[in-house]
Amino acid sequence: MAPVIPSPTPITGPPTTGPEPAVRRNIEVLQTQFPDVFNLYILALSRFQSNGDEETDKNNDIGTSYFQICGKDAVTEVLLERMLKMPEGIHGTPFINWQEDPTAPQYNGIAAGYCTHASVLFLPWHRPYLALYEQILYQYAEDIVKNEFSGPAQQTYTQALQQLRLPYWDWAEDAHLPAITMDETINVVLPSATEPGGTIAKDIPNPLFSYQFTSGMGTDSVNNELQSPNTYTGSVRCPDQNGKQQNDLASTQNFAFQDQHRTGIYNLMSVEDFGQFSNQAYTKPGQKYDSLEHHHGIIHNYTGSDFGQTATVQNPPIIGNMTDLWSSSFDPIFWLHHANVERFWCIWQALHPGASIDQEYPLLDRWTEATYIKKADSGTSNLEPFHKTAAHNMSDYFVADELRDISSAYMLGYQYPETPFNLAGDPKALAAYAGEQVQKLYGPLITQSPSYGKTPLDGAPATNAPAVYRKEWQAFVRVKRFAIPGSWFVHIFLGEPDTDHGRWVASAVGSVAVFAPRNIATCRNCVSQAGRDLDVSGVVYLTEAIIKALGPSLDDDTVVRYLKDNLQWRVAGPGVAYPPENVAGLTVGVSAANVTYPLASGKLPLYHPEVPYPEITQGKARLGGFKPHDEY
């Protein structure tokens, strides 16, 4: 059986059945501390994934199968041939509008698509997208509880249903893949077929390990997109040359840069400007180089593909779903990942109430009221194709500004442990609590390091409270988003890199990720950004690696000499290295900021503006090294 899901589908999120919305929990906490809720989540996800066939996967009028929600739409045989050449749908680039949306995402024969990457709409757009997925998942769970369980088990799972929400993977706390996502089978509790009201334990295919395609159309379209010599029957992570998943490798690659995520997320919570916090586009001098979207891209790339493989013309790189933008949402771990990205935005919203979603330039080409016009992405932008009501017309889209406050998360039926609903009426108390949790989860171990000083540094923001101080060093990168087709990295090293690019992941201090499609022709957002030579940016935090090499003193002259002698960078995609001098727009430099770390609980660091050190990299200008008088 399957629940009856209305189409068009108004996005409301799952219902709140008690006095406050249910909590989205860390998946490991959900599994160990809420086993009934976790069991129901697995059963619902399994049912959601399996409820597809040639007709429902292709029927865009309905648009609520797992295949369609995760990125594939088609309505006619006429469009099927085109669809097989390029995945389509909500998270891909549809040639047709999802659920007959009144805004047709097409202009002059080029699909406009719903892509909002490298835009201020990146976070707002994904909020209703996750809510849509979550409410459908809830409906499958509700159907199972009402129609399959009975007796005491039904009572147990009725209570569990009230707490069912999408779990998250906190890769800034532990970047290993969650263990439960790495097993091919999983043991669940099912209704007994022979004992009324009873239950049985049984192993089933693990829906967190892989989504198995439910139609030939799905199989063909995703395999065509991944361009693999293998034929995949489901989503894959870090596939080897034979197409076998390498979850351990995905876990190892991600864990190598856990400290970069921990430091980055902690620092980003102090950024005041939403655009700079949220997305990777480099649009103006003096902006922050790091962003939440940048960390999101690192996780995508390292979860999807083996970046240590060796590719040749005869053996092209083997790509997994998470590294491929258009097919990434088929991997079930996508949803755990994005629930965590959403969590970080909720925490930031608690810390920065009232922050605006400002107009961002350069312009992103958008379509409105069936007339294609240029319009800057901003808080007034519609979030196509997501509607708030069944009217499904031009006046009931979600609008970015409606989501700029954390109350919108509560209204969509969820809260996170760090943003409790019971503090929603007291913004100061909510901000203080969120700050305490950020400090506890991601803050530096100040008392355990002699590198923090008690004497204020020049230009470090002042505070009347007890504090310590430190200069923080970072390598910054900016580069054209589409300098190389697909997803790739700029790796940062302290010392000469190995000549074998397959060893770069293990030896790099950190990596700056570019997460982009290999084919941009059907994504109007991408075409527009490429036409304007859009830069994206990211950073690799260097301070701890410098301390490891030089000790805790962090004397400026000593650090500059060390970095001038040792800072190196290389560029690589899965299996392929690229000469840095051939990468369009590549700029790599070093900057530092004097930082004040208040010692009071819940107080986040205060940053003096970063200052670039061009003397470190000007000798490598041919490779993209930052020079004096370059724009920072």
Side-chain angles (χ1 to χ4, degrees):
M1 295 181 64
V4 177
I5 300 170
S7 180
T9 310
I11 298 175
T12 60
T16 295
T17 56
E20 60 182 56
V23 180
R24 288 181 177 174
R25 303 185 188 278
N26 185 306
I27 189 166
E28 294 180 347
V29 172
L30 185 70
Q31 181 187 6
T32 57
Q33 299 182 26
F34 300 87
D36 294 334
V37 182
F38 180 77
N39 186 70
L40 185 58
Y41 162 67
I42 294 296
L43 295 180
L45 181 58
S46 177
R47 192 68 54 83
F48 183 17
Q49 289 182 358
S50 62
N51 186 36
D53 53 35
E54 294 293 342
E55 178 57 32
T56 56
D57 285 354
K58 190 172 65 175
N59 191 335
N60 182 70
D61 292 341
I62 298 173
T64 55
S65 73
Y66 189 91
F67 180 79
Q68 292 240 340
I69 294 298
C70 293
K72 312 292 181 259
D73 295 348
V75 290
T76 67
E77 294 299 325
V78 174
L79 289 171
L80 180 56
E81 182 178 355
R82 295 178 68 191
M83 184 212 67
L84 292 176
K85 296 178 181 177
M86 177 58 65
E88 316 168 10
I90 299 178
H91 198 263
T93 52
F95 293 114
I96 52 179
N97 44 330
W98 182 69
Q99 287 194 342
E100 298 299 316
D101 189 72
T103 296
Q106 196 170 59
Y107 174 65
N108 284 351
I110 298 177
Y114 302 124
C115 172
T116 59
H117 295 88
S119 158
V120 291
L121 301 185
F122 167 68
L123 292 177
W125 186 90
H126 280 84
R127 179 164 289 179
Y129 185 36
L130 262 68
L132 169 65
Y133 178 93
E134 189 171 48
Q135 78 184 47
I136 293 176
L137 184 71
Y138 182 96
Q139 287 175 283
Y140 274 91
E142 184 178 42
D143 185 72
I144 291 169
V145 171
K146 288 184 176 180
N147 297 313
E148 298 182 31
F149 284 106
S150 60
Q154 188 178 62
Q155 296 176 4
T156 296
Y157 286 107
T158 297
Q159 294 177 353
L161 178 66
Q162 297 173 8
Q163 301 179 65
L164 180 64
R165 292 299 183 269
L166 186 61
Y168 62 86
W169 164 30
D170 185 1
W171 34 259
E173 183 183 25
D174 184 355
H176 289 106
L177 265 61
I180 195 62
T181 67
M182 300 168 69
D183 296 329
E184 291 193 51
T185 62
I186 187 170
N187 191 262
V188 295
V189 176
L190 294 165
S192 172
T194 58
E195 181 184 350
T199 60
I200 58 169
K202 182 180 179 181
D203 286 344
I204 65 170
N206 184 359
L208 292 171
F209 179 80
S210 173
Y211 159 59
Q212 296 299 300
F213 305 132
T214 50
S215 63
M217 181 191 69
T219 302
D220 291 343
S221 62
V222 177
N223 277 279
N224 181 272
E225 167 63 17
L226 294 178
Q227 300 174 20
S228 172
N230 305 292
T231 299
Y232 301 124
T233 59
S235 62
V236 288
R237 293 176 206 136
C238 286
D240 64 14
Q241 292 294 323
N242 298 315
K244 183 179 179 181
Q245 288 206 90
Q246 301 179 92
N247 278 284
D248 287 340
L249 176 60
S251 189
T252 299
Q253 289 186 149
N254 277 307
F255 181 70
F257 303 109
Q258 176 180 295
D259 289 344
Q260 291 290 324
H261 292 306
R262 184 186 297 268
T263 301
I265 293 302
Y266 185 64
N267 291 346
L268 284 168
M269 291 301 167
S270 295
V271 175
E272 298 284 345
D273 181 86
F274 171 75
Q276 295 183 38
F277 162 81
S278 67
N279 77 96
Q280 204 173 358
Y282 176 88
T283 59
K284 56 190 175 185
Q287 75 171 58
K288 295 286 185 181
Y289 274 71
D290 205 4
S291 66
L292 181 54
E293 186 182 17
H294 171 235
H295 290 270
H296 143 275
I298 296 173
I299 295 296
H300 264 284
N301 284 0
Y302 279 137
T303 302
S305 299
D306 174 8
F307 276 78
Q309 64 182 288
T310 298
T312 64
V313 174
Q314 292 76 24
N315 296 294
I318 306 297
I319 307 296
N321 288 92
M322 280 287 280
T323 309
D324 180 81
L325 195 152
W326 298 150
S327 67
S328 59
S329 53
F330 288 111
D331 189 334
I333 209 168
F334 171 97
W335 302 95
L336 308 183
H337 170 40
H338 271 271
N340 194 47
V341 172
E342 166 69 9
R343 167 174 166 261
F344 287 135
W345 184 28
C346 283
I347 294 172
W348 187 88
Q349 288 180 313
L351 293 167
H352 304 276
S356 60
I357 302 175
D358 296 330
Q359 199 166 257
E360 182 177 272
Y361 290 90
L363 293 176
L364 170 66
D365 294 342
R366 288 273 157 193
W367 59 96
T368 59
E369 298 178 0
T371 302
Y372 188 83
I373 63 173
K374 285 190 174 183
K375 183 180 180 182
D377 282 350
S378 70
T380 63
S381 298
N382 289 340
L383 303 177
E384 298 98 346
F386 304 128
H387 294 264
K388 293 174 285 187
T389 73
H392 207 67
N393 56 36
M394 295 300 301
S395 64
D396 74 337
Y397 282 115
F398 279 85
V399 176
D401 265 343
E402 297 170 345
L403 306 176
R404 73 180 195 177
D405 188 82
I406 194 173
S407 61
S408 62
Y410 302 145
M411 291 177 63
L412 286 168
Y414 61 91
Q415 59 179 306
Y416 286 97
E418 298 81 11
T419 58
F421 177 79
N422 64 352
L423 297 178
D426 188 342
K428 288 186 178 180
L430 180 60
Y433 183 81
E436 289 172 1
Q437 302 311 302
V438 168
Q439 194 175 64
K440 183 186 303 182
L441 288 168
Y442 313 115
L445 300 175
I446 290 174
T447 60
Q448 299 180 25
S449 174
S451 62
Y452 296 91
K454 296 182 179 180
T455 304
L457 300 173
D458 291 343
T463 177
N464 294 325
V468 293
Y469 307 86
R470 191 168 83 168
K471 175 168 281 190
E472 301 291 356
W473 297 82
Q474 63 182 28
F476 63 86
V477 174
R478 67 173 181 264
V479 68
K480 302 303 177 187
R481 186 177 182 218
F482 304 106
I484 297 170
S487 298
W488 43 284
F489 284 111
V490 179
H491 299 295
I492 302 296
F493 304 88
L494 292 178
E496 190 67 29
D498 198 292
T499 56
D500 179 1
H501 72 266
R503 299 178 181 176
W504 289 353
V505 174
S507 58
V509 177
S511 305
V512 169
V514 176
F515 178 55
R518 285 175 287 176
N519 185 334
I520 69 171
T522 55
C523 172
R524 188 63 184 178
N525 178 31
C526 303
V527 170
S528 174
Q529 291 177 349
R532 294 190 309 272
D533 279 340
L534 179 73
D535 285 336
V536 290
S537 64
V539 306
V540 170
Y541 298 97
L542 300 176
T543 309
E544 293 300 326
I546 293 170
I547 291 171
K548 186 176 180 180
L550 301 178
S553 65
L554 295 178
D555 169 73
D556 266 24
D557 291 340
T558 304
V559 172
V560 169
R561 276 197 308 272
Y562 172 75
L563 293 177
K564 186 176 181 179
D565 291 341
N566 290 279
L567 185 74
Q568 301 278 349
W569 55 90
R570 297 291 186 270
V571 181
V576 183
Y578 300 92
E581 61 269 28
N582 295 341
V583 178
L586 178 63
T587 299
V588 181
V590 174
S591 62
N594 292 334
V595 182
T596 301
Y597 291 91
L599 295 177
S601 176
K603 297 295 184 181
L604 296 178
L606 306 170
Y607 292 84
H608 186 267
E610 290 102 354
V611 176
Y613 285 75
E615 61 269 36
I616 293 173
T617 50
Q618 63 182 342
K620 302 181 179 74
R622 184 180 66 84
L623 304 178
F626 184 81
K627 309 180 299 299
H629 311 300
D630 279 356
E631 178 181 278
Y632 177 65

